[in-house]
Amino acid sequence: MKAFGPPNEGPLQGLVASRIETYGGRHRASTQSTAGSLYPRGGLVLDPSRRRLQQYVPFVRGSGQSRGLSPMRLRDPEPEKRHGGHVGAGLPHSPKLKEVTKAHELEVRLHTFSMFGMPRLPPEDRQHWEIGEGGDSGLVIEKSWRELVPGHKEMSRELCHQQEALWELLTTELIYVRKLKIMTDLLAAGLLNLQRVGLLTEVSAETLFGNVPSLIRTHRSFWEEVLGPTLEETRASGQPLDPIGLESGFLTFGQRFHPYVQYCLRVKQTMAYAREQQETNPLFHAFVQWCEKHKRSGRQMLCDLLIKPHQRITKYPLLLHAVLKRSPEARAQEALNAMIEAVESFLRHINGQVRQGEEQESLVAAAQRIGPYEVLEPPSDEVEKNLRPFSTLDLTSPMLGVASEHTRQLLLEGPVRVKEGREGKLDVYLFLFSDVLLVTKPQRKVDKAKVIRPPLMLEKLVCQPLRDPCMCFLRGAFSSPSSRGEGGAGMEIK
């Protein structure tokens, strides 16, 4: 068996010694390994004196450096001395050398995974991330529905088309679950194994994969309770697939697929995090490339896998519409229409949650651009303390008089000139929200606008046009968006 080790080093001898080296064991390096370039044959060289045995490796009788050593720890090689000092003393603390060392260690680990598979993770990690093949033995299906229906040759063309549409619903479900398992069994398992040996610890698996394990459990339950029984009935009876048997499962679609709300709310941030890590983290980029070339991945890219849940959940109405189109029976049409409505209602709920989340993010960003709000210039600390509860401006608080799902939005903003009295003119910057108008003054020293007038509530605001078409007169009551105190104000805006 060909030994595996760093470039420019002599091969280890024997299978046991090869395993030792593969899992981080030590052996005496050739004196030429550090004399040449740090990048032989386009790769990175690991300083042998920096490797550590990461875990216990069972020993049997072997040859080479493993002979005569303790089964629990490999003995450190004696450092070579030249001119009274250690060779390369202090270099392991160099950031660049550490980067080179980690890059080569990552290369070694990934090659080990390719040769021997990934080490088994602790049971709690496997259970949390749905890693492994246990419980997926029932997720199998024949190549065609015709294998299950002996009398398919006597069936009408329209009924055959209906069976094809139902078969597409079943087969695409299994294909999708297998793609979800790529994220857990390959990407998540690989990342967690690398983090256990100190590599890629800065990457958050929870941020990268979100609640994908919950999605896997959701679809496994959906198959076992809804799709699988329909398939088993056809296997047992030899009769065509019956869409009516799916009705009860799809009518509870919202409850079954509730984890998709959380995933869809976070998918934009998840993809941005994955893209950022690949662009700024060379080690993570190398790991993702290895995963994408792995035979288990099916040439799936990480970004494509992360968007798959969003694509799948929106595909169910299309699949059901295809079945409905080929189902002439009144009872089947009634059941399919109810199923489609249940799925589309859940999708509307997801879209509403996503839109509300985006509006909240936009509101927070707008609120961060608006500085302090001071109704009056307090003459003393005592007055300021008593005035502070009435001077708060919380734009993220709920709007008064509307349901909680309605979020305040920034509708318009821009500079205007305000005329107060006969001669006073002031250049200000207005923020028009769903329920309030803010008059602010940009501040040069800080990138924020200071509120210089009490907030004007839109429900009490009256806008009157003037003879000059470029001007209008505003008159209305003001109060804080989160309080009910009121006052009055008037101004001309150009």
Side-chain angles (χ1 to χ4, degrees), residues 367-372 441-444 446-450:
Q368 292 175 348
R369 297 167 50 200
I370 300 175
K441 184 74 174 177
Q443 296 177 291
R444 295 183 179 180
V446 293
D447 190 20
K448 287 189 175 182
K450 180 180 180 180

Side-chain angles (χ1 to χ4, degrees), residues 229-251:
T230 300
L231 180 62
E232 289 297 333
E233 183 178 348
T234 298
R235 284 172 175 165
S237 64
Q239 297 299 314
L241 296 165
D242 186 7
I244 298 178
L246 305 175
E247 182 179 12
S248 60
F250 274 96
L251 290 182

Side-chain angles (χ1 to χ4, degrees), residues 73-217:
R73 178 178 174 87
L74 292 178
R75 188 173 302 159
D76 291 340
E78 292 295 332
E80 300 180 11
K81 296 184 178 181
R82 294 181 183 177
H83 307 291
H86 295 288
V87 177
L91 285 180
H93 301 286
S94 168
K96 187 171 183 180
L97 184 57
K98 284 185 177 180
E99 182 180 345
V100 171
T101 301
K102 281 187 172 292
H104 183 71
E105 186 178 355
L106 176 65
E107 183 182 352
V108 169
R109 295 286 173 180
L110 294 180
H111 187 73
T112 302
F113 294 166
S114 299
M115 292 178 63
F116 307 111
M118 295 185 192
R120 191 175 182 85
L121 290 167
E124 57 272 16
D125 288 339
R126 295 175 61 82
Q127 182 178 4
H128 172 75
W129 289 100
E130 289 291 328
I131 295 174
E133 300 179 0
D136 294 336
S137 58
L139 302 180
V140 293
I141 196 169
E142 290 76 6
K143 292 184 178 180
S144 172
W145 62 272
R146 290 181 172 85
E147 299 179 21
L148 306 177
V149 184
H152 64 86
K153 293 183 179 180
E154 289 76 27
M155 292 169 50
S156 65
R157 183 176 181 182
E158 189 171 32
L159 185 56
C160 288
H161 284 312
Q162 181 204 55
Q163 296 299 295
E164 292 288 352
L166 285 167
W167 197 252
E168 183 182 3
L169 172 63
L170 298 177
T171 54
T172 55
E173 182 77 7
L174 292 186
I175 292 172
Y176 169 66
V177 172
R178 294 187 187 112
K179 290 180 179 178
L180 289 181
K181 294 290 287 180
I182 293 174
M183 283 194 275
T184 57
D185 291 6
L186 179 62
L187 285 154
L191 179 60
L192 293 176
N193 268 295
L194 292 173
Q195 290 179 343
R196 287 171 65 84
V197 296
L199 294 170
L200 296 178
T201 55
E202 69 280 4
V203 180
S204 170
E206 287 74 15
T207 304
L208 188 60
F209 302 110
N211 65 333
V212 168
S214 298
L215 303 186
I216 294 176
R217 287 187 281 268

Side-chain angles (χ1 to χ4, degrees), residues 392-406:
T392 58
L393 181 62
D394 185 9
L395 293 172
T396 60
S397 62
M399 293 188 294
L400 299 175
V402 297
S404 59
E405 61 266 19
H406 296 288

